[in-house]
Amino acid sequence: MWIIKKQDTDETFTLISEKNNYTVGRTSADLVLSHDNSISRSHSILRIIVSDKETLALEDIGSKYGTFINENIENSVKLNQGEQQELSDGDRVRFGVFKNIWHVSHAPIISAISGLSSGDAKILEHYMSILGGKLVDKWDMKCTHLTMKEFRLTVKALHALVEQRPIVTLDYWRNFVDAARRGRSTLPQPNEYKPINSNDLMGHNLDCTITPARKTVFSGMTFVFMNANQLELYGPIIIKAGGATRDLKSGVQKSFLLKSNVVVLQYVPSTQSQGTQTINVIENYLETNNLRFIPEYEIGLAIVHCSTEKFCNPSYKVINGLIPSTSSMGLSPNTCLVKNTEATQSNASERTELFLLETEKIGVNDDGKSGSKQNPILDDESMSPIRVTESAEENMHSKRKRNKINQIVSDDSDDTWCVHHFACSVCDTKMTQKSKFYEYDEKPVCKKCYERFPNELRRRLRTSHEMTMKKAV
């Protein structure tokens, strides 16, 4: 779609690919310029050409006083009769010799859809074909609109909100097509066609009007994710809203989680695993310091309200009550956020701990190199915590354990391993006093399994060991 706007006025003319040729003249033309005697009855033609991309061309069809483009306006150099010249976004065109100067702009239309029925989607696709636009199912940076029947806090809606894209209904496009076909009609305004709130929002009025403040609502904040899929889904939205993201599997100090500008996103594994233990440890650690996990739906509510006073604020506690619900964001309908008047910060523990979540499938290929395997050491849900201590006493305690493997002790002893049951905690291969092994999460791991660990994990363990040994000396 192309729009030309008359200089120094609000008068516009819309050109769509449904009609290829638009005539310009003093009478009986698509664009009539009747109050200018330098305009011929049949002056020029504006032609839309659709091939790999949509282009707009201008041709003078025998005007008396000429047609001029860009710098040729000031130089009084006419477009040759019958010559067709392609126009670009930002070009200027003058018809005749007076003040009929028009500015050219290209307005591509790409609408994503969310929550439309298949019938409505087909209707919208038809409208897009008339306008020379495009209908897409997935959101990307090229999208100019989002079309919804009811406003829900979907991921696409959050992208549209933070990118300042209008969210409209199907009626907007119906009236848009009607206005574009009339050429000089004023195009409908998106704010007049906002979708109504979904029943899932329980009557809570959420405004989807374009608001520049949404682009900085998470400025200065860091969101910590415990799941790679969750990070992939919401990470780009947080960054667009001015925030930063961290993946827990890359290593995060526990004391970092207590910072006032850090948000830890809640994640519920689909099955019970070692990851559940890690999540419980972190949740307890936050609760001990009067902080809380943040459910993912609060990302949407913070963006809509342009505020983190209540939403995405770890210092607000969840109590019994009622909060707007959105099933698309997994919102619990029985929670309410109230301000926490207790202290939200505490001194970090003297002993530094590092959490690392293993979510990748790591194995050993036939050539002996690390790679993805069907039977990984750690499955997708496995998130075993690694504890790295700076205490020399604990390191020496671990060394004493290794020296006592040959002792047979009771099963409930924490100081030694039983020689008859000494095995790798990963592959369950039996080991002896002479076996080379490593300690991971206070459990023995054979050399073969250790070498399958990600390089980053081994590097961290090695660095921690070297630091501990230096302090012990």
Side-chain angles (χ1 to χ4, degrees), residues 111-129 134-137 147-149 156 169-170 173-174:
S111 178
I113 59 175
S114 180
L116 290 187
S117 66
S118 58
D120 286 344
K122 289 181 180 179
I123 294 174
L124 181 56
E125 187 175 15
H126 174 65
Y127 292 154
M128 290 295 110
S129 65
K134 185 179 179 182
L135 186 64
V136 296
D137 184 56
T147 306
M148 308 179 77
K149 183 177 182 179
K156 294 177 188 176
T169 62
L170 191 61
W173 297 112
R174 182 180 295 111

Side-chain angles (χ1 to χ4, degrees), residues 460-472:
R460 290 179 180 272
L461 290 174
R462 183 169 57 254
T463 301
S464 174
H465 175 71
E466 291 172 353
M467 293 177 60
T468 303
M469 293 300 294
K470 288 181 180 179
K471 291 185 178 182

Side-chain angles (χ1 to χ4, degrees), residues 1 109 111 124 127-128 131 144-148 166-179 187-195:
M1 184 178 74
I109 298 175
S111 178
L124 181 56
Y127 292 154
M128 290 295 110
L131 299 172
T144 60
H145 298 76
L146 176 64
T147 306
M148 308 179 77
I167 301 177
V168 297
T169 62
L170 191 61
D171 287 339
Y172 169 78
W173 297 112
R174 182 180 295 111
N175 293 334
F176 194 102
V177 168
D178 290 343
L187 297 176
Q189 297 301 308
N191 282 344
E192 298 176 2
Y193 296 87
K194 295 184 293 185

Side-chain angles (χ1 to χ4, degrees), residues 8 20 66-67 92 120 144 179 194 220 242 248-249 255 264 292 295 327 330 343 392 447 456:
D8 301 327
N20 293 331
T67 304
R92 295 177 300 139
D120 286 344
T144 60
K194 295 184 293 185
L248 198 66
K249 75 175 183 178
S255 58
V264 183
R292 65 182 177 93
S327 59
K447 181 180 179 182
E456 178 65 16

Side-chain angles (χ1 to χ4, degrees), residues 268-465:
V268 180
S270 58
T271 59
Q272 293 293 320
S273 66
Q274 287 178 302
T276 305
Q277 179 184 357
T278 301
I279 293 172
N280 291 338
V281 169
I282 297 177
E283 183 174 22
N284 292 335
Y285 181 69
L286 292 175
E287 289 180 354
T288 301
N289 291 276
N290 299 314
L291 302 174
R292 65 182 177 93
F293 273 144
I294 299 300
E296 60 188 30
Y297 68 82
E298 288 194 25
I299 296 174
L301 294 176
I303 290 173
V304 170
H305 290 287
C306 296
S307 172
T308 56
E309 180 182 359
K310 295 182 179 180
F311 308 112
C312 293
N313 186 347
S315 65
Y316 272 67
K317 288 185 177 179
V318 179
I319 64 172
N320 291 332
L322 189 63
I323 193 170
S325 173
T326 137
S327 59
S328 58
M329 296 287 289
L331 175 61
S332 171
N334 299 314
T335 57
C336 181
L337 304 180
V338 297
K339 190 170 183 179
N340 174 25
T341 58
E342 299 177 354
T344 60
Q345 290 281 114
S346 67
N347 293 330
S349 173
E350 295 180 359
R351 184 175 63 194
T352 303
E353 294 189 0
L354 178 88
F355 284 102
L356 187 67
L357 302 190
E358 289 303 320
T359 58
E360 298 177 346
K361 295 183 177 181
I362 305 298
V364 176
N365 297 328
D366 295 336
D367 57 3
K369 297 181 180 180
S370 297
S372 177
K373 297 288 287 183
Q374 294 297 322
N375 298 314
I377 295 177
L378 303 175
D379 60 33
D380 283 339
E381 297 289 349
S382 176
M383 295 182 288
S384 178
I386 303 167
R387 186 162 63 90
V388 179
T389 175
E390 296 179 354
S391 168
E393 289 81 5
E394 291 196 12
N395 184 65
M396 294 302 296
H397 180 65
S398 297
K399 290 175 67 178
R400 286 196 297 270
K401 283 185 179 182
R402 295 185 180 93
N403 294 333
K404 294 180 180 179
I405 297 174
N406 58 341
Q407 299 181 24
I408 299 178
V409 298
S410 60
D411 291 339
D412 58 353
S413 172
D414 291 329
D415 293 329
T416 61
W417 284 298
C418 175
V419 66
H420 299 296
H421 300 89
F422 183 56
C424 174
S425 60
V426 177
C427 66
D428 208 31
T429 299
K430 185 173 176 58
M431 297 189 292
T432 67
Q433 297 96 318
K434 296 182 180 180
S435 300
K436 183 174 179 60
F437 72 96
Y438 300 82
E439 190 177 59
Y440 171 71
D441 194 21
E442 298 187 347
K443 298 174 184 178
V445 177
C446 70
K447 181 180 179 182
K448 184 176 180 181
C449 289
Y450 175 82
E451 290 176 345
R452 295 179 185 176
F453 281 4
N455 292 334
E456 178 65 16
L457 171 56
R458 286 185 290 165
R459 185 189 67 79
R460 290 179 180 272
L461 290 174
R462 183 169 57 254
T463 301
S464 174
H465 175 71

Side-chain angles (χ1 to χ4, degrees), residues 252-277:
V252 176
Q253 299 288 343
K254 284 182 67 176
S255 58
F256 178 78
L257 304 180
L258 300 183
K259 292 185 177 182
S260 59
N261 62 340
V262 173
V263 174
V264 183
L265 265 294
Q266 186 180 45
Y267 170 64
V268 180
S270 58
T271 59
Q272 293 293 320
S273 66
Q274 287 178 302
T276 305
Q277 179 184 357

Side-chain angles (χ1 to χ4, degrees), residues 30-43:
D30 296 304
L31 177 57
V32 177
L33 307 176
S34 57
H35 301 293
D36 187 341
N37 291 332
S38 67
I39 303 297
S40 301
R41 291 183 180 180
S42 297
H43 196 100

